[in-house]
Amino acid sequence: MGCRTTDFLLSQSLRSQNSPPFIGLAPLKSKFQDGAIEKTRAFLGGSPSRLPKLFQSFPYVAAWCVTQALSDAYGEADNGIYRHIEDVLGISLETQQSRRMLFEGFCHVCDKLGLPSRGFDRMVDVYLLHAGVPVAQLPTIIEALLRQEAAFGPPPVESTVLLNRWEDDSLEFVHPSITTPRRAILWDETAWHATLFARVREATTSFQPVIQFEERFAEVLAQRLNGRGNSASQSAQGLMPVPKPRLMWQNGGLSLRLPRTEGRIQLWQDHETRPLRLRGGEDWMLPQPWPKHMRWQIGTHGGELTFLSASTGFAIFDRATGYLVRDSEGARRELEVDAADAVILARSSFSILGEAALESGAHGFVGFAQLGAMPVKLT
């Protein structure tokens, strides 16, 4: 099969409603995969200078080769990125020029597909996002999904919104230092991994994988289940962390996302002595002025949240996911943010590139910014 035919098949697959939302997991029959890589290497002929021509001639094959390499190999021995891409493409990516050509070509494909491509801390982050959860990190994600299931019940497959929230909440069981699968899962609003988890759990031994990643997912899950004890007893013994309330920006307002619990969640705002008793599994809209300090209690576990305690601080939320990505309690205005479309909140007025923020209730100001390679100035 030639590259042109494979490119057409991938373009159709990536636009299919039933396809995984990650370029690196686009369905392509295994007998065609090796051929696509072989012909891509032959097209480049060992020269990175032909990268622009590759992305112009066979954009979907090129993007698939980059992300599929990371899906298969990233995180196995180390967190190297470019060397895996080099191995697949058969070229050197040691120079900044060659890496820039790869990045621009890849981002153009993302733009054609309507996928995010800008606003990342590093060029490689966009490849990792569209590779999805690497195979080497499947044990971490499957462990988190199993713990979420043990603590809060099976995935609610009857609603995509609830399922996506269930999947996002499972990341509370992933160590904060593990960022690659976290970014992919938070971006994906279809809850693809949670849906796959539910399919495998329901089908058990009769599960029929559609792509190789699904086959590997089922294998890792089976291995984990065969080697684990009783999830409920582990939870009861306190061996599993308790998900925490988190601040979210959604539906044009600031809310507190409350984890699902068996009982009520107690919440104290600022200097209040009597707690609110809130139902778990819901989003509670914060009153205004926004509280600066909140203390919460879930059973025997508790914690605190601080939000814009200083009048000169600001908080940045990812508009796509609603999650708080960075905050600053002081006057510092130089921050790197992993988001392309940002919502910025503050207790005092400010401007973004000369445009004044909107006043939102008492002592609240909201601004919106598209983030990219150039810095965005707040004044």
Side-chain angles (χ1 to χ4, degrees):
M1 178 183 290
C3 268
R4 194 168 303 281
T5 303
T6 305
D7 196 69
F8 173 77
L9 292 176
L10 283 171
S11 71
Q12 296 296 103
S13 175
L14 288 166
R15 291 181 170 89
S16 170
Q17 189 174 8
N18 298 323
S19 179
F22 305 100
I23 297 175
L25 300 183
L28 184 64
K29 292 183 179 181
S30 57
K31 63 180 180 180
F32 299 140
Q33 292 183 14
D34 291 341
I37 295 173
E38 180 182 345
K39 288 180 172 59
T40 299
R41 291 168 63 97
F43 184 94
L44 290 171
S47 174
S49 65
R50 288 183 58 80
L51 280 170
K53 185 65 175 177
L54 173 68
F55 278 98
Q56 180 182 358
S57 302
F58 312 110
Y60 305 106
V61 168
W64 176 83
C65 285
V66 171
T67 51
Q68 195 269 343
L70 296 178
S71 175
D72 275 359
Y74 176 78
E76 284 186 340
D78 54 41
N79 291 330
I81 297 173
Y82 282 115
R83 66 180 181 85
H84 298 305
I85 301 175
E86 289 174 333
D87 289 344
V88 168
L89 300 183
I91 60 175
S92 171
L93 294 170
E94 292 184 355
T95 68
Q96 191 65 22
Q97 181 183 12
S98 62
R99 295 181 179 186
R100 175 59 63 176
M101 287 189 294
L102 178 72
F103 177 74
E104 293 297 336
F106 187 89
C107 287
H108 182 65
V109 179
C110 293
D111 295 340
K112 290 175 66 174
L113 294 170
L115 300 174
S117 60
R118 313 291 173 176
F120 298 94
D121 290 341
R122 307 172 301 166
M123 288 189 290
V124 295
D125 287 338
V126 70
Y127 313 141
L128 291 170
L129 171 63
H130 296 298
V133 174
V135 170
Q137 293 180 333
L138 275 179
T140 298
I141 293 304
I142 286 175
E143 178 67 22
L145 294 172
L146 285 170
R147 291 191 172 195
Q148 176 74 2
E149 180 186 56
F152 302 117
V157 294
E158 67 279 0
S159 167
T160 302
V161 173
L162 293 177
L163 184 62
N164 184 52
R165 176 170 175 173
W166 186 93
E167 182 184 73
D168 289 352
D169 288 345
S170 73
L171 295 175
E172 294 287 345
F173 299 107
V174 177
H175 194 279
S177 65
I178 301 177
T179 59
T180 299
R182 184 185 303 275
R183 182 186 293 113
I185 285 178
L186 289 178
W187 166 75
D188 170 33
E189 296 184 354
T190 68
W192 187 80
H193 292 91
T195 302
L196 175 58
F197 176 80
R199 285 172 51 207
V200 178
R201 291 291 271 160
E202 181 180 5
T204 57
T205 56
S206 62
F207 174 71
Q208 295 294 322
V210 178
I211 58 176
Q212 189 174 1
F213 181 91
E214 293 184 351
E215 180 179 0
R216 184 60 183 143
F217 187 100
E219 290 174 355
V220 174
L221 177 57
Q223 293 168 3
R224 185 66 187 90
L225 290 174
N226 292 335
R228 70 179 293 129
N230 183 277
S231 299
S233 65
Q234 289 186 11
S235 178
Q237 294 170 12
L239 298 180
M240 302 194 308
V242 176
K244 304 173 184 178
R246 64 177 61 167
L247 291 166
M248 302 286 296
W249 176 266
Q250 56 183 3
N251 300 323
L254 184 64
S255 65
L256 190 66
R257 174 159 291 182
L258 304 169
R260 295 173 60 186
T261 60
E262 294 184 359
R264 296 280 179 163
I265 298 173
Q266 297 185 77
L267 182 74
W268 292 263
Q269 301 179 76
D270 290 328
H271 303 294
E272 291 181 352
T273 57
R274 296 185 62 181
L276 298 172
R277 297 178 60 83
L278 305 175
R279 187 189 303 275
E282 297 182 352
D283 294 328
W284 181 67
M285 295 297 294
L286 267 65
Q288 288 190 280
W290 299 314
K292 296 182 178 181
H293 301 281
M294 288 170 281
R295 183 166 62 89
W296 55 269
Q297 188 79 24
I298 303 176
T300 59
H301 301 272
E304 296 183 358
L305 285 172
T306 300
F307 181 70
L308 295 178
S309 59
S311 60
T312 56
F314 58 91
I316 305 173
F317 292 80
D318 187 327
R319 199 173 183 181
T321 64
Y323 285 90
L324 176 67
V325 291
R326 292 298 295 268
D327 58 11
S328 171
E329 292 297 335
R332 182 169 174 257
R333 287 292 190 267
E334 295 182 5
L335 290 175
E336 291 185 353
V337 177
D338 188 5
D341 194 359
V343 181
I344 304 170
L345 306 187
R347 296 189 185 274
S348 56
S349 61
F350 65 96
S351 297
I352 303 175
L353 298 175
E355 183 176 347
L358 303 174
E359 189 170 359
S360 176
H363 307 292
F365 294 85
V366 181
F368 303 91
Q370 296 288 328
L371 305 181
M374 300 299 293
V376 174
K377 185 176 182 181
L378 305 181
T379 56

